[in-house]
Amino acid sequence: MRKYKNDGKLKIPKRRKSAKKSEEDIEIIEECFCHNGHNLISNRVKFNECNGIYLKIKDKEKQGYVGISPICGCKMRISIDVDLTEGETFEFFCPECDEKLLVYSPCPSCEGEMITLFLNKEADYTHCLGICNSVGCPQAEVRMGDEIRSCLRKQYHDETHR
Ligand SMILES: [Zn+2]
Ligand SMILES: [Zn+2]
């Protein structure tokens, strides 16, 4: 486990807050990258006019592509050439370099793994997103790295205080 510079004031670049002043601020991921710095946001998948996160997925038998909503809190996904069955886990790959995306942590909600999407080309774990590789998991929406960390801390706390 690497150490995080966690001063509680994580500055995340390239996030756009909705111009409309609504109760809940909508956060949209405009850029995210694989560990080799390839942009994973693509206009091949669209969610509410926004370009989606486009990833290659594989399991033992099949492979295809998945489009993930870039809107935080939105679980919408589009699958291309592959069926997504509830509870199934996939390995996620960069469509550009075809390398397997790095695992951020175990998923706080299921047996799956949180896959890392970096918010800058430097593959900096303090500026990243995570997404669970299991279909239908509550973490199957983009999560900020600090959110995952607090989720894992809470889980650890719950487990040790049972
Ligand atoms: Zn790549
Ligand atoms: Zn999960």
Side-chain angles (χ1 to χ4, degrees), residues 60-100:
K60 279 160 231 109
E61 294 115 48
K62 20 183 212 253
Q63 70 167 49
Y65 291 90
V66 68
I68 296 163
S69 171
I71 302 157
C72 291
C74 172
K75 288 189 177 52
M76 226 196 281
R77 287 186 175 202
I78 300 167
S79 65
I80 303 153
D81 291 339
V82 65
D83 292 326
L84 300 179
T85 319
E86 196 93 349
E88 230 177 337
T89 53
F90 284 93
E91 293 195 314
F92 284 48
F93 293 79
C94 168
E96 192 84 26
C97 59
D98 207 23
E99 283 182 26
K100 193 182 164 197

Side-chain angles (χ1 to χ4, degrees), residues 25-124:
D25 273 330
I26 302 167
E27 287 179 317
I28 297 160
I29 311 304
E30 291 187 310
E31 276 185 328
C32 64
F33 304 92
C34 82
H35 50 280
N36 291 323
H38 299 121
N39 196 357
L40 301 170
I41 298 281
S42 167
N43 58 10
R44 292 185 200 175
V45 283
K46 290 270 189 185
F47 296 87
N48 294 338
E49 315 284 301
C50 305
N51 292 337
I53 302 165
Y54 184 69
L55 303 174
K56 193 169 181 177
I57 53 173
K58 292 182 199 172
D59 76 356
K60 279 160 231 109
E61 294 115 48
K62 20 183 212 253
Q63 70 167 49
Y65 291 90
V66 68
I68 296 163
S69 171
I71 302 157
C72 291
C74 172
K75 288 189 177 52
M76 226 196 281
R77 287 186 175 202
I78 300 167
S79 65
I80 303 153
D81 291 339
V82 65
D83 292 326
L84 300 179
T85 319
E86 196 93 349
E88 230 177 337
T89 53
F90 284 93
E91 293 195 314
F92 284 48
F93 293 79
C94 168
E96 192 84 26
C97 59
D98 207 23
E99 283 182 26
K100 193 182 164 197
L101 298 179
L102 305 178
V103 173
Y104 183 78
S105 70
C107 173
S109 307
C110 76
E111 303 288 295
E113 288 170 331
M114 298 301 284
I115 304 302
T116 321
L117 309 173
F118 294 102
L119 287 166
N120 56 35
K121 293 185 181 180
E122 282 74 54
D124 174 2

Side-chain angles (χ1 to χ4, degrees), residues 143-157:
R143 294 271 182 183
M144 290 297 155
D146 48 344
E147 251 182 87
I148 304 166
R149 284 197 289 281
S150 66
C151 220
L152 285 168
R153 268 199 299 274
K154 187 180 172 300
Q155 187 195 37
Y156 177 74
H157 184 269

